[in-house]
């Protein structure tokens, strides 16, 4: 065969150590990482849309989704959860996920999708920790969790993971 058909480890040392070779190897790695990030960002959009599309069917809630607005020390009382930060360390919401996506915070992470997944799991765990089982919001958290798990399965199928 031709010289370029040889596996990398058979290339002579002077080629392996050349700047052109190293630069090319670096670029191909960077491209793989960039491709992975692009796919992660696409997966975040799909996952977010699945969660954002959840409709609250519970009676008396008028379709209100308690996971959209970020609970802060300033609005906790107004939202009817004045003791929230006595129990929850870090608040998370769909609005906060949307903000992190738009402001490219996920893109800045080494693994954007893993960070997004942690944020979704934080929404669920916060709701389950703050509310008691049997409370509507606890039940809504379980619904959101189910939707996300389904979205995760579809992602794994789509990405052959």
């Amino acid at each position: 065969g031709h010289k370029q058909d040889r596996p990398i480890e058979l290339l002579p040392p002077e080629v392996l150590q050349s700047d052109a070779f190293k630069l090319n190897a670096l670029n191909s790695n960077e491209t793989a990482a960039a491709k992975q990030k692009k796919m992660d960002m696409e997966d975040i959009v799909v996952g977010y849309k699945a969660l954002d599309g959840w409709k609250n069917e519970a009676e008396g809630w008028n379709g209100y989704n308690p996971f959209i607005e970020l609970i802060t020390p300033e609005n906790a009382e107004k939202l009817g959860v004045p003791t929230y930060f006595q129990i929850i360390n870090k608040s998370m919401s769909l609005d906060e996920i949307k903000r992190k996506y738009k402001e490219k915070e996920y893109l800045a992470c080494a693994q954007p999708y893993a960070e997004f997944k942690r944020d979704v799991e934080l929404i669920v765990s916060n709701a389950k920790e703050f509310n008691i089982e049997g409370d509507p919001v606890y039940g809504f958290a379980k619904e959101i969790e189910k939707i996300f798990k389904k979205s995760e399965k579809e992602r794994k199928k789509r990405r052959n993971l």
Side-chain angles (χ1 to χ4, degrees):
H2 296 82
K3 222 179 206 169
Q4 63 264 39
D5 291 342
R6 286 198 249 165
I8 280 177
E9 59 273 8
L10 297 180
L11 289 172
E14 62 274 12
V15 173
L16 287 173
Q17 275 137 27
S18 74
D19 287 343
F21 184 84
K22 285 179 184 167
L23 192 66
N24 195 26
L26 191 73
N27 287 341
S28 65
N29 287 344
E30 201 175 58
T31 313
K35 271 186 203 156
Q36 184 56 55
K37 277 197 172 196
K38 187 175 178 244
M39 287 196 301
D40 272 16
M41 296 304 280
E42 288 167 4
D43 290 345
I44 289 171
V45 171
V46 173
Y48 176 84
K49 282 182 177 168
L51 296 171
D52 194 47
W54 174 75
K55 292 288 174 261
N56 187 342
E57 307 286 342
E59 206 171 316
W61 283 78
N62 297 326
Y64 174 73
N65 182 339
F67 308 117
I68 290 178
E69 192 174 351
L70 186 70
I71 299 170
T72 65
E74 294 73 36
N75 71 10
E77 193 141 346
K78 181 188 79 146
L79 293 174
V81 288
T83 60
Y84 193 76
F85 290 98
Q86 289 169 20
I87 296 160
I88 302 301
N89 294 323
K90 186 180 180 220
S91 154
M92 185 48 64
S93 70
L94 292 174
D95 272 355
E96 183 65 1
I97 287 174
K98 192 192 286 183
R99 184 197 65 73
K100 285 177 78 171
Y101 178 84
K102 281 185 174 167
E103 294 181 13
K104 298 186 173 30
E105 280 185 37
Y106 289 122
L107 194 60
C109 297
Q111 296 178 301
Y113 188 82
E115 181 72 16
F116 164 71
K117 183 179 175 178
R118 275 193 291 276
D119 287 345
V120 172
E121 288 168 348
L122 187 59
I123 290 174
V124 172
S125 65
N126 283 352
K128 285 177 163 182
E129 196 176 329
F130 185 77
N131 301 280
I132 55 169
E133 205 164 344
D135 184 277
V137 178
Y138 190 100
F140 303 156
K142 286 172 83 168
E143 286 181 42
I144 289 273
E145 187 175 34
K146 205 183 290 178
I147 289 167
F148 189 63
K149 281 187 173 150
K150 184 176 180 249
S151 169
E152 286 259 85
K153 263 189 199 144
E154 290 166 1
R155 173 180 179 258
K156 284 182 174 147
K157 216 178 281 178
R158 192 170 62 246
R159 299 290 184 208
N160 295 314
L161 300 172

